Amino acid sequence: MTDLLLLPGDGIGPEVTEQVRRVASRLANELKIEERLFGGASFDANGTPLRDETLAEAKAAKAVLMGAVGGPKWADAPRHLRPEAGLLNLRSGMEVFANLRPALCFGPLADASTLRREVVEGLDIMIVRELTGGVYFGQPRGIETLPDGGKRGVDTQVYTTAEIERVCRVAFELARGRRNKVTSAEKSNVMETGLLWREVVTALHAREYPDVTLEHMLADNCAMQLVKNPRQFDVLVTDNLFGDMLSDEAAMLTGSLGMLPSAAIGAPGKPGLYEPIHGSAPDIAGQGIANPLAAILSFEMALRWSLGRADLADKLFAAVARALDAGARTRDIGGALTTAQMADAVIEAL
């Protein structure tokens, strides 16, 4: 069985994924690692962003780590063959419904944030985003031509009780191991799915998690509160669309998108999907300046959540912290190290 399947993808994806391989070789060289084309690279080679064989290998592995997908090169490809469609199909095919996105501010990087140090120092939020439902997957969807020659675009936001309960259970369980507070964000004031979300979360909390503090917050207010007072949050759970936006906002509180990892998990025993939350960044691809820490920390999450090596995860996280304490920085966080040199600093700290 493959322990870790690497899907480097596009843009800076291959560059940061290569550093994960280097770190893994130093930290856990007993892992069986395989690599496959994915996203635009797979489309160019195979005519599809995700081959059936690659999906089957992903489902059979213990963990999957991808780099990033997409870029202007594939903007004119049919929507169902764009790199992003491959990513959605990978998430859906692996049945990873809960996306864990930590927003953690390392002490040495507090001044890299656009917010004041006293606002973000010590920040530690876990965002739990529902990943396989909502408006990204709902039907009907599409663009149709109207009789007058104009067009109408349709996307459908759909959620069921079961979809909401399973992702919120993940959030409540995580909170029990943290500061015991969950904030649920939706738009129950204007959206039927938001109203259902609030009702289901409230009932689940009363029935199974009364020991955890629960607060409800409208998603637009949540966006404001993340900037105003981010340290009020412990675990933040929300749907696919709002989670996509709020987690990117929270990422910038920490100083750089290049710092933050993510994990997508499903039912127990199923492989997880791990990825840095930054995009493919085609504007800097091939220059060797991308920050590899988000990818390296995604590997740290894979060690913890899918590979059963919390001891190695702790060791890797500590090494990243030591490298930053020693002043190691890529350009996005105020330094001049290359992608490989940043990984060198982590490897040395191991």
Side-chain angles (χ1 to χ4, degrees):
M1 174 184 288
T2 299
D3 293 308
L4 183 66
L5 178 65
L6 299 178
L7 303 175
D10 311 315
I12 63 172
E15 299 171 51
V16 298
T17 305
E18 177 58 28
Q19 307 315 312
V20 171
R21 184 186 285 275
R22 294 180 60 220
V23 170
S25 296
R26 175 65 178 269
L27 182 65
N29 62 8
E30 72 279 6
L31 292 178
K32 182 180 179 182
I33 300 176
E34 300 286 348
E35 183 174 313
R36 297 292 180 266
L37 294 176
F38 180 57
S42 178
F43 176 79
D44 289 345
N46 305 307
T48 177
L50 176 64
R51 298 174 69 216
D52 291 342
E53 295 86 346
T54 302
L55 177 58
E57 290 182 75
K59 294 167 70 174
K62 291 183 179 179
V64 179
L65 190 145
M66 58 164 285
V69 296
K73 179 180 179 181
W74 303 281
D76 294 329
R79 181 174 294 276
H80 71 286
L81 292 177
R82 291 178 187 173
E84 296 80 3
L87 176 56
L88 293 179
N89 290 336
L90 179 66
R91 291 170 175 170
S92 178
M94 292 182 65
E95 298 179 328
V96 286
F97 58 81
N99 189 207
L100 313 184
R101 293 192 168 194
L104 177 70
C105 185
F106 288 88
L109 299 184
D111 291 323
S113 172
T114 54
L115 299 183
R116 298 191 306 274
R117 169 178 282 271
E118 58 265 30
V119 175
V120 298
E121 192 169 27
L123 180 69
D124 182 5
I125 305 172
M126 178 63 79
I127 298 178
V128 181
R129 167 192 173 191
E130 198 289 320
L131 198 60
T132 57
V135 73
Y136 293 167
F137 292 92
Q139 295 292 337
R141 64 182 299 155
I143 299 175
E144 61 182 3
T145 301
L146 300 175
D148 65 359
K151 293 187 176 182
R152 183 176 71 160
V154 176
D155 291 290
T156 303
Q157 168 88 339
V158 178
Y159 273 110
T160 65
T161 298
E163 287 176 318
I164 299 168
E165 284 186 344
R166 67 182 184 179
V167 72
C168 288
R169 281 195 178 94
V170 173
F172 283 123
E173 293 291 343
L174 282 169
R176 280 178 169 169
R178 292 170 52 92
R179 300 190 298 279
N180 217 43
K181 178 184 176 183
V182 170
T183 302
S184 174
E186 26 67 10
K187 285 289 287 181
S188 56
N189 57 335
V190 294
M191 296 175 65
E192 299 302 323
T193 50
L195 181 59
L196 176 65
W197 185 284
R198 182 173 291 216
E199 291 174 349
V200 171
V201 174
T202 300
L204 177 66
H205 173 256
R207 189 172 67 247
E208 299 182 23
Y209 300 97
D211 56 302
V212 180
T213 299
L214 171 66
E215 69 173 1
H216 299 281
M217 188 175 291
L218 296 178
D220 49 351
N221 181 38
C222 184
M224 180 184 72
Q225 294 296 329
L226 278 171
V227 177
K228 180 181 179 182
N229 180 22
R231 288 185 297 186
Q232 69 182 281
F233 297 102
D234 178 18
V235 176
L236 172 60
V237 63
T238 188
D239 74 7
N240 206 342
L241 176 62
F242 295 137
D244 196 352
M245 294 185 288
L246 293 173
S247 60
D248 279 7
E249 179 187 11
M252 287 310 300
L253 303 178
T254 70
S256 172
L257 283 171
M259 286 298 304
L260 297 183
S262 75
I265 60 174
K270 298 285 187 178
L273 174 62
Y274 301 86
E275 60 179 299
I277 73 169
H278 60 66
S280 62
D283 57 319
I284 62 169
Q287 299 179 37
I289 59 174
N291 188 342
L293 291 185
I296 290 171
L297 289 170
S298 294
F299 175 55
E300 182 266 340
M301 296 187 79
L303 288 167
R304 191 177 304 280
W305 287 90
S306 291
L307 298 175
R309 294 304 306 267
D311 57 329
L312 295 183
D314 290 341
K315 186 175 181 180
L316 180 54
F317 188 89
V320 170
R322 282 195 295 271
L324 292 170
D325 285 340
R329 303 282 192 277
T330 44
R331 191 176 72 175
D332 59 306
I333 49 177
L337 293 186
T338 66
T339 305
Q341 287 170 339
M342 188 73 232
D344 289 341
V346 174
I347 291 170
E348 183 178 350
L350 286 170

